[in-house]
Amino acid sequence: LHQNPAQYIQLLQQARLNDDIEVTHYASTAMMEVQREYELELQKYERQLRQSPEDEKALLNCIRTLRRYIDSGLIDDEVLYIQRKRYADLLSKRMEQAPDDKPVFYAAADNCLELEDYSTGNTLIDSILEKWPEDENAWFLKLKYCQKTNDGALLTHTVKEIRRRNIYLSPAGKQTLQFWSRSLDREAESV
């Protein structure tokens, strides 16, 4: 824990709820230190980006650091929302720089869904499906959109479309599609 507390955030979060005051204090202090490190790293890359707005490396470093910070579990609620908005702005800038960078487009669409900006997310997912219609990740983004918006009809249509197009699926992708197919079959039986 002393060498790399960032790897143990979940454990530290549990330790903060401990009855022992020393354990709670240590866990809180360690988490604040990790959070401070993320903030300092972000400030460094944002400063580089302000000095050189077209610096691709600084932008990518900023995106990666912010993604790690969001995924760390250190932030929630309003702070998480603010960081996700920052992340969305950086991803938009990167999409303009690199219109064929699939992972950035996928991250932007997923972030829109997490922000509950479903309109923008759906538009982005549809453009992703136009650009990369054979990529399972694009289709699974569409399924995630359907789930988040509780759109059962679109979910059914999307599952059928994946099958109709005979999209190549990884083993994990096959399991995911099987899950959605079984869920749809159970719903159909109950009606």
Side-chain angles (χ1 to χ4, degrees), residues 3 20 25 41 49 52 68 73 81 108 149 160-161 164 190:
Q3 290 177 356
D20 186 329
H25 174 73
E41 191 176 356
L49 211 47
S52 304
R68 284 191 344 263
Y81 179 81
T149 59
K160 287 179 182 176
E161 193 65 16
R164 185 186 72 76
S190 66

Side-chain angles (χ1 to χ4, degrees), residues 47-89:
R47 191 172 30 260
Q48 288 174 359
L49 211 47
R50 277 193 303 277
Q51 292 169 352
S52 304
E54 299 306 314
D55 184 349
E56 185 177 340
K57 187 178 177 184
L59 178 60
L60 289 172
N61 284 334
C62 203
I63 287 171
R64 279 188 212 105
T65 302
L66 194 48
R67 179 79 236 176
R68 284 191 344 263
Y69 191 26
I70 288 169
D71 290 343
S72 72
L74 284 168
I75 52 178
D76 55 12
D77 301 330
E78 192 64 31
V79 176
L80 180 59
Y81 179 81
I82 291 166
Q83 297 301 352
R84 281 195 174 280
K85 292 298 268 184
R86 265 170 97 182
Y87 187 55
D89 292 341

Side-chain angles (χ1 to χ4, degrees), residues 13-50:
Q13 286 173 330
Q14 289 176 347
R16 279 186 17 209
L17 304 174
N18 194 294
D19 292 336
D20 186 329
I21 293 172
E22 285 184 48
V23 170
T24 303
H25 174 73
Y26 172 77
S28 296
T29 303
M31 288 179 65
M32 287 187 327
E33 183 58 32
V34 172
Q35 198 164 1
R36 183 178 160 281
E37 287 171 17
Y38 275 120
E39 289 291 340
L40 290 173
E41 191 176 356
L42 276 170
Q43 287 172 12
K44 176 179 107 178
Y45 293 132
E46 286 175 338
R47 191 172 30 260
Q48 288 174 359
L49 211 47
R50 277 193 303 277

Side-chain angles (χ1 to χ4, degrees), residues 140 143-144 147 155 159 163 169 171-187:
F140 290 129
L143 289 173
K144 183 174 181 177
Q147 176 200 16
L155 180 70
V159 168
R163 288 180 180 152
L169 300 174
K174 287 177 186 175
Q175 280 186 320
T176 302
L177 189 63
Q178 206 171 34
F179 167 79
W180 286 113
S181 297
R182 279 195 302 254
S183 295
L184 293 172
D185 292 343
R186 280 193 299 269
E187 279 183 29

Side-chain angles (χ1 to χ4, degrees), residues 148-166:
K148 290 249 184 205
T149 59
N150 295 316
D151 191 335
L154 184 57
L155 180 70
T156 301
H157 173 75
T158 304
V159 168
K160 287 179 182 176
E161 193 65 16
I162 292 170
R163 288 180 180 152
R164 185 186 72 76
R165 289 176 179 247
N166 202 22

